[in-house]
Amino acid sequence: MEAPCPVDLRIDARWLVPVDPPGVLDDHALVADAGRIVAVLPTSAADVAYAPRVRVVLPTHVLIPGLVNAHTHAAMTLLRGIADDVPLRIWLEQHIWPREGRHVSPEFVHDGTLLAAAEMLKGGITCASDMYFYPDAAGHAYDSAGMRALVGMPVLDFPTPYATDADTYLAKGLAARDALKHSARLAFALAPHAPYTVGDATWERVVMYARQLDLPIHTHVAETRSEVDEARRATGETPLARLDRLGATGPSFIGVHAVHLAPEDVERLAAQRCNVVHCPVSNMKLASGIAPVAMLLARGINVALGTDGAASNNRLDLFAEMRTASLLAKVATGDAASLPAAEVLRMATLSGACALGMEAAIGSLSPGKHADAVAVDLSGIDVLPVYDPVSHLVNVAGREQVTDVWIAGERIVHGRRLATIDEPAVAARARAWQQRMN
Amino acid sequence: MEAPCPVDLRIDARWLVPVDPPGVLDDHALVADAGRIVAVLPTSAADVAYAPRVRVVLPTHVLIPGLVNAHTHAAMTLLRGIADDVPLRIWLEQHIWPREGRHVSPEFVHDGTLLAAAEMLKGGITCASDMYFYPDAAGHAYDSAGMRALVGMPVLDFPTPYATDADTYLAKGLAARDALKHSARLAFALAPHAPYTVGDATWERVVMYARQLDLPIHTHVAETRSEVDEARRATGETPLARLDRLGATGPSFIGVHAVHLAPEDVERLAAQRCNVVHCPVSNMKLASGIAPVAMLLARGINVALGTDGAASNNRLDLFAEMRTASLLAKVATGDAASLPAAEVLRMATLSGACALGMEAAIGSLSPGKHADAVAVDLSGIDVLPVYDPVSHLVNVAGREQVTDVWIAGERIVHGRRLATIDEPAVAARARAWQQRMN
């Protein structure tokens, strides 16, 4: 019999849900070393095989992979709740864009992103796909929070205080990527805002960079009926048909919203193995519509979940997003079996990782992947009894049940407290920005 | 100048939202004496006018009326999550009814109702309209928890372990009412289960008792498409038309769900000044459909909010219900201005009180009403910044932000801890029932 193998970390949990493979493991341990998962095995077997330097016991918790928020505008958290109960176009044109024009700066983006990271981490989100101005400031904030991010390099065909034209957007984005390439937790994507805000010539340049640098393309598409109708009137094509013609679609394409799709669009997404990010709360709040998620999944398309920005949600909360996605799919299809809990949990974890091109590294509690894990306490009087922990993760638990979060084996949230972020300081900055914003 | 008036309680809050009148009061105090609200006034004015025996200062909180859960089956909390992702008919016939037949007893109802009351109170719900077997056991549980309830006396035209026929249901319900009439916090309603489970003769008896005893009638109606279709085939009437013909409708009628309504049904509800209880999460989860809430409100019909039972929700959480109601109305109507935050908050408070016939006593922070109030802390990193506390109550805050709850001036929840319920004991009972249920 061999001596137990020394390792950095062992986490024992009442239930462990690896997501891949599906199912619930009772009384299992996750073993990690040097930031990576070494094994997932029964606690009795872990006793024999491993000698952990740190052991954490979670007797009433379910341990799940870190959640992946596949679409957000983190810095907009500073605009949380500034204009509600108005439709997308008015919301953007009368409320959001004017304020962004006046206030957005590297300092705004840094402070807003750190506020968002604090909220996301405490809610079990370990990785976010972000799209906003000043990606260098956002990247620094994620890095200092110890959170993973796919940082979007924004591209628009109109000037903002951040950049004057498409060339400048691209140059600034690529410079941010160069400046932050040392960070193991950051990756980068090209983030053209949307088909209706970026012209063909710029899309072609984006596609060229994406191919040359092997970068994902992260964009809004087919969010509202009017976007699609106007595109058809102007070009005779759906927005997705146009992006397909311009070469933007493919396995590295992250199409956000995808609410209003023609049948040919669905075939395109499937044929090109594109990724869709479903943002149910944002789509409902802005009355954009209901993405045909059950149909996209049936067609084999990878669908991840996103919160969108806190200005249109107003929580960066993937537990709420999971629950809303499941409820919305059921009522939209008339089928109560649509989007069952295990499938929604997969969307919020492994499918998110796939969308971001990170499925080899994160998204499930699988040996070889980074030890990104979230402990959810199911002992409270507001969640008992517990017949099925996977159902509870979607239908009962909220982010308030998250007690501990590890990223690459580091305990970033410890007993509901952030180890990497000075919460009072971040809260004070949020209050200061609020004063300026009014 | 007069001496300050001695009173029991003064609660100072950063924001106070009385609901009636609408709007947000900054730095106001609620003053209560002998369980009733005496005044709502600026803190500076309260300093001069009142000498409270107890003063509570909530510098980062919004104080709101106690939430009214206008429809639940509290005891079913013991079945929370036992069967998900299945439609209503299968859920009832294959999962819920067989287990109820085997397990439901006065002990089950008492333990389940106490578990539900604990969850509801900690989430800011101070009054529930309940419908379940053994209303005596439920009433005792609510009473011991210090919570208000409209206890439904269930009526069915088929036998259960609780009662064999309609006469027995009615007799047992009325006996429970007699036994509990001393409790100031309990009121009673007749609760025929639904049009499709109760025949005309029994409905007529229910209506007779309701008139004689001045009791509300609390029933499910028009929950699913198939319920309405089958009723039309069998009787040529919609379920609501039938209840109207039988004399059940009126200002004391509490119709739960009201998802599938013919235009004449809407006119009936309006003409008879009926109350509707909207249960958006349950309707979505069971794929029942979307109640036309915006249209009902536009027609002047009183619409309250309910969680339904935890077996079809699976949380007894009116914050989640408020948020879902608002989101669902927006996406269903295509109008992002539909069901704005203030209107949803009113549904969860004053409209709930109206539905239960209690609007003179509860539902708003108005002088003369019972001092039922809830403190919601808006200082956390997951809710900042706060531009509009009413929007935040619906779009950002969750029940996890509730810190303190008063009912008739008694502090039932104090710093997130229940003063009236032994939480570990209730949790242990829930676990014991779970073992039996498997």
Side-chain angles (χ1 to χ4, degrees):
Chain A
M1 187 169 152
E2 291 179 49
C5 179
V7 290
D8 287 339
L9 177 64
R10 169 179 166 179
I11 308 171
D12 293 12
R14 169 67 189 87
W15 302 281
L16 195 150
V17 178
V19 172
D20 180 24
V24 179
L25 304 171
D26 283 293
D27 298 314
H28 268 57
L30 179 141
V31 177
D33 197 59
R36 298 223 173 229
I37 298 169
V38 172
V40 169
L41 74 179
T43 52
S44 53
D47 291 342
V48 180
Y50 297 100
R53 278 173 280 278
V54 174
R55 183 174 168 196
V56 178
V57 178
L58 306 167
T60 59
H61 296 64
V62 53
L63 193 71
I64 60 172
L67 302 177
V68 178
N69 184 359
H71 179 66
T72 192
H73 313 282
M76 293 181 82
T77 306
L78 291 173
L79 301 171
R80 189 202 310 271
I82 206 161
D84 293 318
D85 304 315
V86 290
L88 179 64
R89 185 61 67 98
I90 293 169
W91 179 79
L92 277 175
E93 293 178 0
Q94 294 179 22
H95 298 280
I96 299 301
W97 286 344
R99 283 195 177 86
E100 287 184 336
R102 285 197 300 276
H103 295 289
V104 172
S105 64
E107 188 194 10
F108 176 100
V109 172
H110 177 271
D111 291 351
T113 305
L114 207 52
L115 178 66
E119 179 185 358
M120 290 194 275
L121 287 167
K122 291 182 86 175
I125 297 170
T126 54
C127 181
S129 177
D130 199 1
M131 177 196 282
Y132 207 62
F133 306 107
Y134 302 103
D136 46 341
H140 280 292
Y142 281 116
D143 200 43
S144 71
M147 184 169 167
R148 292 187 200 285
L150 181 69
V151 179
M153 299 176 271
V155 185
L156 283 165
D157 262 337
F158 58 84
T160 61
Y162 169 62
T164 48
D165 55 27
D167 280 347
T168 322
Y169 282 99
L170 281 162
K172 285 196 165 187
L174 293 167
R177 175 173 168 262
D178 282 345
L180 288 160
K181 66 185 168 198
H182 62 278
S183 169
R185 293 181 183 173
L186 299 184
F188 290 82
L190 290 155
H193 173 265
Y196 62 94
T197 48
V198 177
D200 281 11
T202 300
W203 271 105
E204 280 165 1
R205 300 203 52 205
V206 165
V207 170
M208 183 195 69
Y209 277 114
R211 286 203 190 130
Q212 285 180 353
L213 303 171
D214 194 20
L215 295 173
I217 295 175
H218 173 195
T219 190
H220 302 106
V221 66
E223 181 172 3
T224 62
R225 171 71 60 199
S226 63
E227 173 195 340
V228 176
D229 290 348
E230 284 169 27
R232 278 187 191 272
R233 271 198 297 277
T235 68
E237 295 166 303
T238 67
L240 205 70
R242 179 168 152 246
L243 297 191
D244 198 38
R245 173 173 57 75
L246 294 165
T249 55
S252 299
F253 181 84
I254 307 168
V256 179
H257 298 306
V259 172
H260 298 280
L261 299 174
E264 321 83 77
D265 290 335
V266 176
E267 291 316 306
R268 262 178 211 110
L269 290 168
Q272 297 284 351
R273 295 165 45 225
C274 295
N275 304 281
V276 165
V277 182
H278 179 39
C279 300
V281 171
S282 173
N283 296 157
M284 294 174 83
K285 181 156 187 278
L286 298 170
S288 302
I290 301 177
V293 173
M295 188 258 282
L296 297 175
L297 290 170
R299 200 57 197 78
I301 295 162
N302 183 57
V303 182
L305 279 182
T307 59
D308 211 342
S312 66
N313 185 310
N314 301 350
R315 294 161 70 112
L316 306 181
D317 176 358
L318 273 187
F319 282 87
E321 225 64 42
M322 285 197 286
R323 192 168 188 234
T324 306
S326 174
L327 293 172
L328 188 60
K330 291 175 195 324
V331 79
T333 61
D335 176 7
S338 186
L339 269 208
E343 194 155 4
V344 181
L345 180 61
R346 186 185 175 92
M347 288 168 69
T349 53
L350 189 54
S351 304
C354 289
L356 276 49
M358 299 180 180
E359 69 273 23
I362 61 168
S364 62
L365 299 181
S366 312
K369 291 195 182 183
H370 293 300
D372 293 7
V374 174
V376 185
D377 185 4
L378 297 185
S379 67
I381 209 156
D382 44 0
V383 301
L384 288 175
V386 184
Y387 295 99
D388 174 354
V390 173
S391 161
H392 262 43
L393 286 167
V394 173
N395 293 303
V396 183
R399 62 180 178 186
E400 64 273 19
Q401 268 84 33
V402 171
T403 61
D404 294 85
V405 176
W406 289 264
I407 297 179
E410 256 187 71
R411 200 168 186 171
I412 304 282
V413 178
H414 190 146
R416 295 194 165 87
R417 292 178 160 276
L418 280 161
T420 50
I421 295 177
D422 178 348
E423 278 195 60
V426 169
R429 298 291 299 153
R431 288 197 195 90
W433 279 108
Q434 178 181 341
Q435 292 308 316
R436 280 200 242 177
M437 208 66 60
N438 278 341
Chain B
M1 187 169 154
E2 290 180 50
C5 179
V7 290
D8 287 339
L9 176 66
R10 169 179 166 181
I11 308 171
D12 292 13
R14 169 67 187 87
W15 301 282
L16 196 149
V17 178
V19 172
D20 180 24
V24 179
L25 305 170
D26 283 293
D27 298 313
H28 268 57
L30 179 141
V31 177
D33 196 59
R36 298 218 174 235
I37 299 168
V38 173
V40 169
L41 74 180
T43 51
S44 52
D47 291 341
V48 179
Y50 297 99
R53 278 173 281 279
V54 174
R55 183 174 167 195
V56 178
V57 178
L58 305 167
T60 59
H61 297 63
V62 53
L63 193 72
I64 61 172
L67 303 177
V68 178
N69 183 359
H71 179 66
T72 192
H73 313 282
M76 294 182 82
T77 306
L78 292 173
L79 301 172
R80 189 202 310 270
I82 206 160
D84 293 318
D85 304 316
V86 290
L88 178 65
R89 186 60 66 97
I90 294 170
W91 179 79
L92 276 176
E93 292 178 0
Q94 294 179 22
H95 298 280
I96 298 302
W97 287 342
R99 284 195 177 84
E100 288 186 335
R102 285 198 300 277
H103 295 289
V104 172
S105 65
E107 190 195 8
F108 176 99
V109 171
H110 177 269
D111 291 352
T113 304
L114 208 51
L115 177 66
E119 179 184 358
M120 289 193 277
L121 287 167
K122 290 181 85 174
I125 297 170
T126 54
C127 181
S129 177
D130 199 0
M131 177 198 282
Y132 207 61
F133 306 107
Y134 302 102
D136 47 342
H140 279 293
Y142 281 117
D143 200 43
S144 71
M147 184 168 167
R148 292 186 201 286
L150 181 68
V151 179
M153 300 176 267
V155 185
L156 283 166
D157 261 336
F158 59 84
T160 61
Y162 169 64
T164 48
D165 55 26
D167 279 349
T168 324
Y169 282 99
L170 281 162
K172 285 195 164 186
L174 293 167
R177 174 171 170 263
D178 282 346
L180 288 159
K181 66 185 169 200
H182 62 277
S183 169
R185 292 179 186 176
L186 300 183
F188 289 81
L190 290 155
H193 173 264
Y196 62 95
T197 48
V198 177
D200 280 11
T202 301
W203 272 106
E204 280 165 1
R205 299 203 51 205
V206 165
V207 169
M208 184 197 70
Y209 277 114
R211 287 205 188 127
Q212 284 181 352
L213 303 171
D214 195 20
L215 296 173
I217 295 175
H218 172 194
T219 191
H220 302 107
V221 66
E223 181 173 6
T224 63
R225 171 69 61 197
S226 63
E227 173 195 338
V228 176
D229 289 348
E230 285 167 27
R232 278 187 190 272
R233 271 198 298 276
T235 67
E237 295 167 304
T238 66
L240 205 72
R242 180 170 151 245
L243 298 192
D244 198 38
R245 173 173 56 75
L246 293 165
T249 54
S252 299
F253 180 83
I254 307 167
V256 179
H257 299 308
V259 172
H260 299 281
L261 299 173
E264 319 85 79
D265 290 335
V266 176
E267 290 317 305
R268 265 180 208 106
L269 290 169
Q272 296 285 351
R273 294 165 46 227
C274 295
N275 305 282
V276 165
V277 182
H278 179 39
C279 301
V281 172
S282 174
N283 296 157
M284 294 174 84
K285 182 155 186 280
L286 298 170
S288 303
I290 302 176
V293 173
M295 187 258 283
L296 297 176
L297 289 170
R299 200 58 196 77
I301 295 163
N302 183 57
V303 183
L305 277 183
T307 60
D308 212 342
S312 66
N313 186 309
N314 301 347
R315 296 162 68 114
L316 306 181
D317 176 359
L318 273 187
F319 282 88
E321 225 64 41
M322 284 197 289
R323 193 169 187 233
T324 306
S326 174
L327 293 172
L328 188 60
K330 291 175 194 327
V331 79
T333 60
D335 175 7
S338 186
L339 270 205
E343 194 155 6
V344 181
L345 179 63
R346 187 184 176 92
M347 289 169 67
T349 53
L350 190 54
S351 303
C354 289
L356 275 51
M358 299 180 179
E359 69 274 22
I362 61 168
S364 62
L365 299 180
S366 311
K369 290 195 183 184
H370 293 301
D372 293 6
V374 174
V376 184
D377 185 3
L378 298 184
S379 67
I381 210 157
D382 44 0
V383 300
L384 290 175
V386 184
Y387 295 99
D388 174 354
V390 173
S391 161
H392 263 42
L393 286 167
V394 173
N395 293 303
V396 183
R399 63 180 178 185
E400 65 273 21
Q401 268 84 35
V402 171
T403 61
D404 295 85
V405 177
W406 290 263
I407 297 180
E410 258 187 70
R411 200 167 185 173
I412 303 284
V413 178
H414 189 145
R416 295 194 164 84
R417 293 177 161 275
L418 280 161
T420 50
I421 295 177
D422 179 347
E423 277 195 63
V426 169
R429 299 291 300 152
R431 288 198 195 90
W433 279 107
Q434 179 180 340
Q435 291 308 314
R436 280 199 241 177
M437 209 65 59
N438 277 341

